[in-house]
Amino acid sequence: METLDNTSRRSFMKLAATAGGGLFLGFNWTNSSALPVVVSTKQVAAGSVNFNSYLSIGTDNFITIISPNPEIGQGIKTAFPMVVAEELDADWKLVKTVQGNLDPGAFERQVTGGSGAVPHSWDRLRKAGATARYLLVEAAANRWKVPASECTTSDGKVYHKASGKSLSYGELAEEASKLTAPKEVKLKDEKDYKLIGHSVRNVDNHNIATGKPLFGLDFYREGMLFSIIQRPKAFGMKLKSVDSAAAKAMPGIVDVVTFDNSVAVVGKSTWQVKKAREALKIEYEKEADLESTSDHNRIFQDLLDNGKATVRRKNGDVEAAFKNAAKIVKAEYQCPFLPHSPLEPMNFFAHVREDGVELIGPTQTPDRARGEVAKLTGFPQEKVTVEITRQGGGFGRRLAADYVMEAAKVSKLVKAPVKVIWTREDDMTGGTYRPAVRYRFEAALDKDGQMIGYKLRGVGMNAGNTTREDNFPSGSVDNLLIDSVDHKSPITTGPWRAPITNFLAYAEQSFLDEVAEAAGKDPIQFRLELLEKAKKAPAGDVKYDVDRMIAVIKLAAEKSNWGKKKGVSQGFSVYFSHRSYVAQVGEVIVEKGKPALKNVIVAVDCGIVINKSGSLQQVRGGVVDGLGHAMYGNLTFKNGVPDQSNFNGFRLIRMNEIPEVDVHFVNNGISPTGLGEPALPPTGGAVANAFYKATKQRLRNQPFMEDAAFKSIS
Amino acid sequence: MALFKLTVNNRALQAEVEGDTPLLWVLRDNLGLVGTKYGCGIAQCGACTVHLDGKAVRSCVLPVSAIGKGKVTTIEGLSEKGDHPVQKAWDEVDVAQCGYCQAGQIMTAAALLKEKPKPTDEEILSTMSGNICRCGTYHRIREAVKTAASKTK
């Protein structure tokens, strides 16, 4: 494991010791000033100062940076240290990155979710690097007896040009550690960046390409037992009786234990417990409705027409606008349930001991895992440790701690260290899905094609509010009503990459394409006119940045040569989510009578790009993810049981199905605003609109592959 | 239970398991070679790809009893120092996001290049489309295979 064991403080000391001592810098993240302080070894050891992250410079010149946020493929373990190293003027070749363990006393917001880690930490990381650089320069200036202002830094060294002297950071670390950190420190100008905005390769590339044990599923400890759990096969069923005699008699099986509605087979290897599970004889009984997809379709229709809706936003007089309209456009859009399908299925290691609990594995929310396990076992939180492994994707699934709790429950029952493993079938049929949704849109146009009224009703499944009522086009339409209805389903649901917007953006951007057509306007021009209105005569609050949205629209139009390509059908989409703005143009070419998606042009405003290579792939991956799920993703149910259980029935996109993805970043110097999610939401709309342009068929249902309009053409 | 003698990464290893145990789980649970990944268990995703006598196979559906004297190569044994042209290309192109599927992708690509050092674009597509990358790094996987091919003599 490349992670630290037990508390980060103790482990950090070990790390620092191997680096031969030197400069420790704690930077306090608990207040907005993010003031870094130099700390003594003693203070670090005692934990007497409240720091939020650590940077150390060893006398061997190696720089160690702890990256506290879980790495699930978003590139944080590379991006965070890049920011520190930039301001430090470090030699990147000498920077080591270490995944931090859960330590709420030391780190703040140790979560991977909401595309929020970089926006949260940007200033803190920069100040940490700049403060350390300041102290190293002071130390050099003191030794040389020259003014600090005459010293410069580059690649891990301080230089005094006039005398031709230089010292490495390692040589200065001890002295620098005795100085007092300044309250304010000057940060670099963007034009001087050597790392930020450039391409830096993933720090774990070598470990990944050589098969090192990085992931939760790879974790093994002598004496550890393996467990596979049988959960109710249908949502709405509960456990009635278990006959585990045959399973217990099978080779390698140590025990079979029951908790809640689950039956856990515990044994000496994965294959043995998997086989023994098949020998369990379990009876279930009904405790809630056993829903089928056909029920959902009926419920959606009923709630759209008759549901008691919660009003999310209201501007002007919508009824009057529709009464006075020259033209009314109305359409409904629907999206299905989706599993997250991270390629590494759910798993976690737990050891519930007499004196506390040890947890190790993949989680996007280590703090939640700890809190829930502490409550379960009755230990105070500080007696529960969480070691965060690298994670084979997350997509929101690992925000839930259900599988961590299972590991703790089994370990407690069998009084041994246990790793709980979900098979792919468990992962796909075990719940916490992206919920299905249906939207009804209505737009009122006046005789000049102006949108004078807009109505949206969303019906979701355990989703609460299925709208983003303050997003565009809100603020640009004088008379507007957005409301939502929620159905409580026994099928478990949870956040899925870009929650809500992953389906709302597609539905809304496709509908706006319909409205633009009804208004006789170019889809881009139509949106720009609305945005002008939001700027000059806003209807109510405008909670997105109109100028940033206009800029990505214009960049996408320019880069796609919008409307000027012969034989290419283009579809447009733009969306604001998680603080960032993304516009996309899908390009469809009809070959032998069949439409083929050839290209997606993407314009992104996520503020300053930290790692060019990582960001480019993050956007491409987001588009591929958005396209694949819009095209193929479909989890259906019959009497509470998912119809699909593995990748033979649930189709994920493959290499021979991807279009080219051409990515352009707006460079506006704004502090980073997040990139893990924002590229995904606009894709479905861009593709559906391009498909319409090519075929005159609207794709109003996902997955597109199952939509009657798609089938009629393809 | 029976004792199976295997040649893995040019080492003679043995494991006492049931004969129907897939090679994947013998590698992971018995031999501690966890670089080979579990993704689906039904030969759909390719995360478990290893070489058997130089050919890419899905270790999740290959019973250990079927291996006999066959020589198994896993990601850990693809090269001594992690410098196989495919491994180097994966770093150069900066392919990985989460990285979980990449060992399988690399093993599939390495077997392809062994058989066809200069594959056509179609051959790369048809071979690599057997492996799923949930993060969507397909553009870079494609590029990295081409990079590796260009450096293979």
Side-chain angles (χ1 to χ4, degrees), chain A residues 71-75 200-202 205-206 208-215 217-220 226 251-252 268-272 274-275 339-345 390-393 395 419 421-425 496-497 611-614 616-618 620-622 624-625 629 646-648 652-661, chain B residues 1 16-22 25-26 28-30 32-47 58 60 75-79 81-83 86-88 90-103 105-106 124-126 128-143 145:
Chain A
E71 172 65 70
I72 64 171
Q74 83 279 39
V200 170
R201 295 175 202 170
N202 186 328
N205 270 353
H206 185 77
I208 289 165
T210 52
K212 294 288 183 298
L214 302 170
F215 300 92
L217 204 67
D218 302 342
F219 176 78
Y220 179 78
F226 296 78
K268 292 187 173 159
S269 76
T270 312
W271 186 249
Q272 287 172 323
K274 184 177 180 291
K275 271 179 75 183
H340 298 76
S341 310
L343 212 55
E344 178 192 15
R390 192 178 181 86
Q391 334 202 1
F395 309 102
K419 184 160 70 175
I421 295 166
W422 291 43
T423 62
R424 175 56 53 196
E425 288 81 2
W496 194 102
R497 192 181 194 180
N611 186 355
K612 198 173 159 192
S613 174
L616 174 61
Q617 180 48 46
Q618 196 60 226
R620 275 183 176 167
V624 170
D625 189 1
H629 282 91
N646 206 323
F647 299 137
N648 51 357
L652 287 174
I653 193 165
R654 291 173 184 270
M655 189 193 278
N656 57 357
E657 295 157 338
I658 56 164
E660 294 307 312
V661 180
Chain B
M1 298 274 248
E16 197 175 2
V17 293
E18 288 85 9
D20 66 349
T21 310
W25 295 113
V26 176
R28 291 186 58 86
D29 290 355
N30 299 87
L33 293 167
V34 295
T36 305
K37 300 300 188 226
Y38 167 74
C40 70
I42 57 166
Q44 288 286 316
C45 77
R58 300 292 164 85
C60 73
I75 186 74
E76 291 93 340
L78 184 62
S79 64
K81 294 176 182 164
D83 55 358
V86 174
Q87 287 170 312
K88 283 164 80 175
W90 244 250
D91 177 44
E92 193 181 319
V93 176
D94 199 24
V95 174
Q97 279 193 233
C98 85
Y100 191 79
C101 74
Q102 301 297 353
Q105 305 275 5
I106 288 169
I124 292 173
L125 263 193
S126 66
M128 298 310 298
S129 291
N131 287 58
I132 289 172
C133 171
R134 175 66 180 85
C135 297
T137 64
Y138 296 127
H139 296 93
R140 285 190 173 173
I141 292 171
R142 192 174 64 192
E143 189 187 336
V145 176

Side-chain angles (χ1 to χ4, degrees), chain A residues 17 83 114 148 189 200 210 273 293 312 333 359 525 559 599 601 695:
Chain A
V83 179
D189 274 347
V200 170
T210 52
V273 293
T293 296
R312 303 293 176 179
Y333 284 81
L359 301 171
Q525 199 49 41
K559 296 294 180 186
N599 204 0
I601 295 103
T695 66

Side-chain angles (χ1 to χ4, degrees), chain A residues 60 271 702:
Chain A
D60 59 359
W271 186 249
Q702 289 188 3

Side-chain angles (χ1 to χ4, degrees), chain A residues 410-430:
Chain A
V410 177
S411 173
K412 197 177 167 201
L413 286 165
V414 301
K415 296 185 171 54
V418 172
K419 184 160 70 175
V420 164
I421 295 166
W422 291 43
T423 62
R424 175 56 53 196
E425 288 81 2
D426 297 337
D427 206 89
M428 198 172 285
T429 62

Side-chain angles (χ1 to χ4, degrees), chain A residues 173-424:
Chain A
E174 290 281 8
E175 281 161 75
S177 71
K178 293 175 186 121
L179 302 173
T180 308
K183 285 211 166 96
E184 289 299 325
V185 66
K186 194 175 173 307
L187 298 174
K188 277 189 182 175
D189 274 347
E190 202 186 338
K191 66 174 170 44
D192 298 323
Y193 286 160
K194 290 176 186 168
L195 287 169
I196 294 173
H198 297 265
S199 284
V200 170
R201 295 175 202 170
N202 186 328
V203 292
D204 272 333
N205 270 353
H206 185 77
N207 291 330
I208 289 165
T210 52
K212 294 288 183 298
L214 302 170
F215 300 92
L217 204 67
D218 302 342
F219 176 78
Y220 179 78
R221 178 177 294 167
E222 200 61 39
M224 174 186 98
L225 298 173
F226 296 78
S227 179
I228 283 187
I229 295 172
Q230 183 62 57
R231 302 165 193 86
K233 284 184 177 155
F235 292 95
M237 290 287 224
K238 64 174 184 178
L239 195 62
K240 190 180 170 196
S241 68
V242 188
D243 174 359
S244 59
K248 276 183 180 165
M250 289 177 69
I253 302 308
V254 174
D255 206 350
V256 175
V257 293
T258 301
F259 59 92
D260 307 331
N261 284 310
S262 298
V263 184
V265 180
V266 186
K268 292 187 173 159
S269 76
T270 312
W271 186 249
Q272 287 172 323
V273 293
K274 184 177 180 291
K275 271 179 75 183
R277 179 172 67 168
E278 290 161 18
L280 291 171
K281 295 186 186 76
I282 306 179
E283 281 187 274
Y284 294 99
E285 59 192 347
K286 201 175 140 181
E287 71 167 355
D289 288 344
L290 304 180
E291 293 178 354
S292 300
T293 296
S294 54
D295 298 323
H296 295 149
N297 291 335
R298 185 177 41 74
I299 290 165
F300 278 147
Q301 216 50 54
D302 179 45
L303 293 180
L304 274 179
D305 293 336
N306 312 310
K308 197 173 172 300
T310 305
V311 174
R312 303 293 176 179
R313 177 166 173 143
K314 198 168 188 282
N315 294 115
D317 186 342
V318 182
E319 296 317 316
F322 277 81
K323 206 180 283 172
N324 300 329
K327 210 181 229 180
I328 289 173
V329 189
K330 196 168 165 177
E332 291 183 12
Y333 284 81
Q334 188 165 326
C335 295
F337 281 91
L338 291 179
H340 298 76
S341 310
L343 212 55
E344 178 192 15
M346 297 306 106
N347 69 87
F348 228 83
F349 169 87
H351 190 189
V352 180
R353 302 181 312 254
E354 297 272 299
D355 60 340
V357 185
E358 189 182 9
L359 301 171
I360 300 170
T363 169
Q364 293 177 239
T365 51
D367 198 30
R368 173 182 294 172
R370 179 170 93 148
E372 291 190 15
V373 170
K375 212 179 282 173
L376 168 82
T377 54
F379 284 112
Q381 297 229 3
E382 57 273 19
K383 293 286 178 192
V384 181
T385 62
V386 187
E387 185 174 327
I388 307 162
T389 61
R390 192 178 181 86
Q391 334 202 1
F395 309 102
R397 178 62 183 88
R398 295 188 226 273
L399 290 167
D402 54 329
Y403 57 98
V404 186
M405 289 287 276
E406 286 181 342
K409 285 174 185 176
V410 177
S411 173
K412 197 177 167 201
L413 286 165
V414 301
K415 296 185 171 54
V418 172
K419 184 160 70 175
V420 164
I421 295 166
W422 291 43
T423 62
R424 175 56 53 196

